[in-house]
């Protein structure tokens, strides 16, 4: 792992399963770049690669769910990190929320969001969603942190070897 990748792993961030879908199809994927951006209204931001197959579903459905994983759910995070060609929801217990997005029964918490805005952010798109619902399902569980995943997602290979000066 490069020094820059190790540096960025020190940012505290969780690991989440993002549910997306439209009237005909639902999917979910693992993401770490999720954060609250406003109290009034309650807004969450999600950074997603626009080349990701689920991004098209997010755009069509105009909503997403954020399923919070516990520290013990590393295998579930890895499961949802697999390519979109696999029906990742087929082997887990879930339900459609009020927005129609997947809510995992084993999540320790979840949020439902309606897309408010999108902005290009380098090689990703920043999607801002208004929180329309949520539930804390396990008050005692410790959320899974990105640093706990090690090199599971292969992102270390995407970091540059040095900082750009321009």
């Amino acid at each position: 792992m490069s020094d820059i990748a190790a540096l960025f792993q020190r940012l505290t961030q969780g690991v989440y399963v993002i549910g997306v879908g439209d009237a005909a199809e639902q999917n979910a994927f693992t993401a770490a770049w999720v954060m609250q951006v406003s109290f009034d209204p309650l807004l969450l931001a999600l950074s997603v690669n626009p080349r990701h197959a689920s991004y098209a579903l997010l755009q069509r459905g105009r909503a997403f769910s954020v399923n919070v994983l516990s520290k013990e759910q590393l295998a579930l995070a890895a499961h949802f990190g697999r390519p979109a060609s696999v029906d990742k929801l087929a082997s887990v217990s879930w339900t459609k929320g009020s927005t129609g997005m997947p809510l995992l029964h084993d999540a320790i918490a979840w949020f439902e969001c309606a897309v408010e805005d999108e902005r290009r952010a380098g090689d990703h798109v920043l999607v801002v969603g208004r929180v329309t619902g949520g539930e804390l399902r396990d008050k005692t569980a410790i959320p899974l942190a990105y640093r706990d995943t090690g090199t599971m997602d292969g992102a270390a290979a995407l970091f540059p070897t040095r900082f750009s000066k321009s």
Side-chain angles (χ1 to χ4, degrees):
M1 179 182 307
S2 75
D3 288 343
I4 292 178
L7 171 67
F8 274 82
Q9 276 199 329
R10 297 314 183 265
L11 288 173
T12 53
Q13 53 200 21
V15 175
Y16 311 96
V17 173
I18 307 302
V20 295
D22 61 17
E25 179 183 6
Q26 286 74 42
N27 197 11
F29 61 94
T30 302
W33 296 343
V34 176
M35 67 177 191
Q36 182 178 347
V37 295
S38 173
F39 284 115
D40 187 16
L42 284 171
L43 299 174
L44 295 180
L46 161 68
S47 183
V48 61
N49 187 327
R51 294 182 309 271
H52 194 289
S54 292
Y55 178 64
L57 276 175
L58 187 145
Q59 286 188 302
R60 289 194 307 267
R62 303 303 297 163
F64 60 94
S65 62
V66 178
N67 295 273
V68 183
L69 302 181
S70 79
K71 192 170 183 145
E72 286 74 38
Q73 292 178 306
L74 184 60
L76 192 58
H79 170 78
F80 282 101
R82 295 186 346 214
S85 59
V86 178
D87 183 358
K88 294 177 273 185
L89 290 167
S91 63
V92 298
S93 181
W94 65 281
T95 190
K96 284 185 182 182
S98 63
T99 61
M101 300 307 116
L103 303 175
L104 304 182
H105 290 171
D106 289 339
I108 65 171
W110 53 259
F111 300 85
E112 290 187 275
C113 300
V115 173
E116 292 265 319
D117 197 10
E118 291 187 22
R119 296 280 185 241
R120 189 79 174 171
D123 61 357
H124 278 59
V125 173
L126 189 63
V127 180
V128 177
R130 179 185 295 262
V131 179
T132 61
E135 182 179 336
L136 177 57
R137 302 175 56 81
D138 186 343
K139 294 178 183 181
T140 63
I142 298 170
L144 180 61
Y146 183 62
R147 67 182 171 98
D148 297 330
T149 66
T151 59
M152 176 187 80
D153 65 357
L158 301 176
F159 282 94
T161 57
R162 62 180 194 266
F163 293 107
S164 171
K165 300 296 180 190
S166 55

